[in-house]
Structures are given as C-alpha cells and as structure tokens.
Amino acid sequence: GKTRDNIVSGMDSIFNGFSHIDDDFYEELEEVLIMGDLGVQATYDILDDLKGKVKAEHIKEPMQCRELLIESIKEQMDVGETAYEFEEKTSVVLVIGVNGVGKTTTIGKLAGKLKAQNKKVVLAAADTFRAAAGEQLKEWANRAQADLIGGQEGSDPASVVYDAVASAKARHADVLLCDTAGRLHNKKNLMEELKKMNRIIDREFPEAYRETLVVLDATTGQNAMQQAKEFNEVADITGIVLTKMDGTAKGGIAVAIHAELGIPVKYIGVGESIDDLQKFDADTFVRALFTTGDGEEGENS
Amino acid sequence: MAFDSLTEKLQNIFKNLRSKGRLTEDDVKEALKEIKRALLAADVNFKVVKDFVKSVQERAVGQDVMNGLNPGQMVIKIVNEELVKLMGSQTTEIKLQPGSAITVIMMAGLQGAGKTTTTAKLAGKFKLKGKKPLLAACDVYRPAAIKQLQVNGEKQGVEVFSMGENHKPANIAKAALEHAQKNGNNIVILDTAGRLHIDEDMMEELQEIKNTVTVHQTILVIDAMTGQDAVNVAKEFHEKAGIDGVIVTKLDGDTRGGAALSVKAVTGKPILYVGMGEKLSDLEQFYPDRMASRILGMGDVLTLIEKA
Ligand SMILES: Nc1nc2c(ncn2[C@@H]2O[C@H](COP(=O)(O)OP(=O)(O)OP(=O)(O)O)[C@@H](O)[C@H]2O)c(=O)[nH]1
Ligand SMILES: Nc1nc2c(ncn2[C@@H]2O[C@H](COP(=O)(O)OP(=O)(O)OP(=O)(O)O)[C@@H](O)[C@H]2O)c(=O)[nH]1
Ligand SMILES: [Mg+2]
Ligand SMILES: [Mg+2]
C-alpha cells in the first residue's frame, strides 16, 4: 500500500499508483489540489468537471485523467493576447499588494527587463512608510540603471506619484513603475490612499497605457483570494505577479482567483536576483502543481 | 462572511436529525464534513486536518449532549477544545538566561515574513522590561536590510550592531556578542536574511551561526497568511535550524491563520507572540483559545457555548 509520505509526492505517483478510477483515486486527487492551495471550492469544481468528462468520454485509465486535468486547468489560466502590451507602450505600471510579498523586488526585476529592451524606465518610490523602503528601491534602480523619483519617509505617497508622473513625461520615459507600500486589504484608509494615487495618474497622465499589477506571494493560502478581490475593488487589477515560485509552494490559489475574478497571472518571481522574473507559462505552472513536493523536479532548481 | 456559514450549516444538518441526548456516529460524521471544509478554508494543512478530524470523531461519538446545547454546538465545543489543546494550552514567554547572562535570540524565516520588523518589536518589549537589547544586522543580502534595521532600531531607541555587507553572518553574530559583553547588553537579537527552507546553502548558514555563537532561542517567524506549504517550511526550518518558538505575523489581516496550527503541529514548539500591525508596538501575546476560534471562524458560537 501507499505510505503517507509518498502521498505528498504528488500526482505522478497517484496516476502510477492507481490501476483504475475509483473513489480513492478521486480522494487523492483532492488532496493534491488542496495541498497545492487551490482551495476547497476550486478543487471540488475541478473534480466535478473531471468526473463529468470521465463519464461522458468513458475514460478508464488514470493516466488519461492526468492529461484531461492538466488541459482543463491550463485553459483556465490563459494569459490573454494583450497581457504584455504595456511593455511596448508609454505606460504607467502601478504595483500593489500586501506586506512583504515582493513588490519592490518585482519592480527592480521589471525595470531590469525593460532596460534590456532599451526602454527608458523611471521608478517612483511611493512607499514612504516602511523603514528604508526608499533605499531598497534605490539599490534596485542602480542595479537596473533606471531613474528614481523618491520621497521622504513619511511624505504623502500621492505627491511622490505626482512628481514621478511629471518627471516621466518630461524625460519622455517609456515606462513609469510605481512602488507602493505594502498594505493589508482590510485597512480602509490605506486602500483609499491607493485610490488617490490611481486618480492622480489618471488625471495627470491620461494618455498613458495603464497596467496595475497585484503581487501575490505563492506561499499564501486562501487569503490571496480576498486580497485579489479587495485590491481589484480599488484599482482595477490587470494582472497578477506570483512571487516566490522558487520555493515549494505551488501558488494554486491563482487558479481559483482566475476562475472567480478572471485576472490572469502575467509573471512569476523565481528568486531574488534581477533576472528572476519570468513570463507566466500555464503549462509549466500546471505541471508543477502535479509534480513532487521535494523540490527536485521543480523546473527552477 | 464565510465566518457565519459554518454555524448555519451545522444548524441545518442537525435540524434534520432528531434531537437526541447522545451524539451518534452519523451526526458527528456529517458535522465533521463541514468542520473539515472550514479548517481547509482556514489553510490548516490537509494532513493535519485529516488527523484532527479523526481524533475528534473518536472523542465525540457517544458523548452526551450537554444541557442547553444542540448537537451542532456540542460538536463545535469538542472541536474547539481539541483545537486549543493542539495549539498549546497556555501562553508562553521567550525564555531568557538567568541573572545578567546574555540571551542570544536568532530570528529565522522565509523572505518577507516580518523578521526585521519583529526584531525591532521584540527589542521594544524587552526594553520595557528594563533589558538592554542589541540588534545585530546579519542580513547581508537584501538591499537596504541593514538600513531598515537601523531605522527601526532608532525608532525603538535600541542600539544596532552592523559590519556592512561584506562579512559572514556568523562572524557578525560573534562580533555582536563581543560588543554586547563590552557594553552591558543582556539580549542580542540576530536579524537574519529571509531564506527558502530548501536553499541548502542558506539553511547551512543558520547552522553556522549556531556553531559560532551560542543561540539560546531560535525563533521561526511565519506569515499568518501562509497556505498549505506552512508544514514544509516549519518542518525544514525545525530540522535544519532547530526552532525553539514561533512568532506569527500579519494577523491584523482577515486571514483565518490556519498556518499557526500547522506549524505548531509540526514543530511542537510554542507560538510566542503574534504580529498585529506594522507599527513597532503591534506585537501581542498569543492566546491559543482566541486562535482556535479564529481558525474555526466562529467567535460568537463559542461565547454562546461558554455561557451554556
Ligand atoms: N525566493 C524569493 N524571494 C523573493 C522573491 N521576490 C521577492 N523576494 C524576497 O522577498 C522579500 C520581500 O520582498 P520585497 O520586494 O521587499 O517585498 P515588498 O512587497 O516590497 O515588501 P513591503 O514593501 O515591505 O510590503 C525580500 O527578501 C525579497 O528578496 C522571489 O520571487 N523569490
Ligand atoms: N500588517 C502587518 N505587517 C507586518 C507585520 N509584521 C511585518 N509586517 C510588514 O511586512 C513587511 C515585511 O516585513 P520585514 O520585517 O521586512 O520582513 P523580513 O522577514 O525581515 O523580510 P526579509 O528580510 O526580506 O526576508 C513589511 O512591510 C512590514 O512592515 C504585521 O504583524 N502586520
Ligand atoms: Mg516594498
Ligand atoms: Mg529582513
């Protein structure tokens, strides 16, 4: 029989370990999906859908289930055609999210990516709250060789955004990347502050292409859904950056978020260096959901 | 909110069953299905949930339903008691060395969990108790990590020891301890860089610090929003760095915080404090019973039960 430990090791062993499709088989699939942080609802929806297909198509082999499952989740995670348009346009990218998820680092990486495409990039240090947030972004600006518009600790972040927009226009920058302070989505006044920053960009730079990225930590569980919802309320999110995908967490909540809110994952963070940002690839992501949890078969190790 | 729905669902389940004096296996099974769902929605680890539900089942079947409770409330009461038991039944303090001996505390955890902030918060707590803490900047990787600690240290009126970014964390720790001995500091808190539990070199670095100075308390800092992976993180940090206690951060959000339960279940180490905000005073005592009702998402029902 199967030991508890090799249950953890995921999908491959499940498909191999079962000769036919039965309740035990589905139960273990449930476990894998839950352990990947898809959440109860998305897991049940996916499994119901799968059961339907298995019946309709008279599928008998667990291995056939594997492909069905991968295909259907992949389909759901489609990024869309216009996902990276902002990289080609005069654009303002607002980066938001809860505390410590990787916003500042992601901006540094994005700046590096855009610089490599010979874009003129300006960074706005609109986190005027956290200790040394400005210095941290400054270091990233140096690494990426991007311009930085800063603000004093404690100053109004909206006024930093205002200055940065003016400066980006004056310098004919291609992309303005705005770093914001981490804020929990249940803090009303901090969410209002985001609205204000948004309004200023709209008002001062209406001709700019707008991109609003919410950064989610792949290690986060079900709360990420709430985060996506609340940030979407105040800022019309256009995409998700899923960070820390170099760990053992699968980031499965992004599947549930895409299913419920239709917001695609556009990038994943896979480390702490400037090159550790990748465009989202649904195939790799979904397969990783179903590969072993010991970190050895991950595509990034 | 999802919070009330568990209560409602349980009430519905039991409405359809005849009220009885004793919990039958079917009653309990139905109820535990919903409990299981609630715990998973709270991010408690799948395996922890499975074990937990099993042990509750064993305990609950055949129990007399207490006066004033319906069977649903009775199951919740048992579930809650078991949760509290799992979480450690009492509040624990960080153990300090006796007398004037220096206590060395090492903070460890994943990237962005809240180590640096919590280091400064702890310093404030110790200072209030008349201690003289020293903060050691052992994160030589993250941009501006040292500056962040310095700014926070200054806010707290606590000295920060740093040697820049070109020394090994173990050597910085050693020098910090010597500095503390000379300057009469009685607590040294080492702020280390965030690291992945599967990053062998970085995990080794923690061990190297421990081989170089005597660390009395290694504290795992973990984000309350962590999902199913919390068990892997806790297990690896415990195995590779030897954890003595846990601090759960960012509980000022609306997360149910099931990661706390997973971490406790895996390491067996007490949860010492909880981070309740970004301000350096936002560090609170941990209460297992409050955490249990938070994870279950049913504070009200519990007060109801307590009154019964
Ligand atoms: N392993 C790994 N670490 C990451 C990744 N992205 C960011 N980090 C680390 O996560 C920590 C937090 O990153 P920040 O960029 O400061 O996060 P933030 O969202 O700006 O944080 P606040 O401004 O404090 O809310 C740092 O230690 C980063 O190096 C990633 O993709 N993988
Ligand atoms: N809301 C809230 N934010 C917190 C809490 N603790 C820390 N933070 C925030 O979380 C973010 C990360 O905190 P840090 O102290 O930099 O985390 P760290 O673990 O030192 O990060 P690295 O050194 O990059 O690994 C910052 O924005 C903090 O202000 C808390 O209890 N509640
Ligand atoms: Mg930041
Ligand atoms: Mg830190």
Side-chain angles (χ1 to χ4, degrees), chain A residues 84-92 119 173-175 209:
Chain A
Y84 305 102
E85 214 143 87
F86 76 92
E87 293 188 3
E88 309 306 328
K89 298 206 161 145
T90 302
S91 59
V92 178
K119 306 284 178 191
D174 296 302
V175 183
Y209 187 91

Side-chain angles (χ1 to χ4, degrees), chain A residues 65-93:
Chain A
C65 267
R66 175 196 165 95
E67 287 315 305
L68 263 184
L69 207 49
I70 286 180
E71 281 310 313
S72 79
I73 301 176
K74 242 170 71 179
E75 224 167 84
Q76 271 185 45
M77 298 297 285
D78 185 42
V79 175
E81 270 163 27
T82 57
Y84 305 102
E85 214 143 87
F86 76 92
E87 293 188 3
E88 309 306 328
K89 298 206 161 145
T90 302
S91 59
V92 178
V93 182

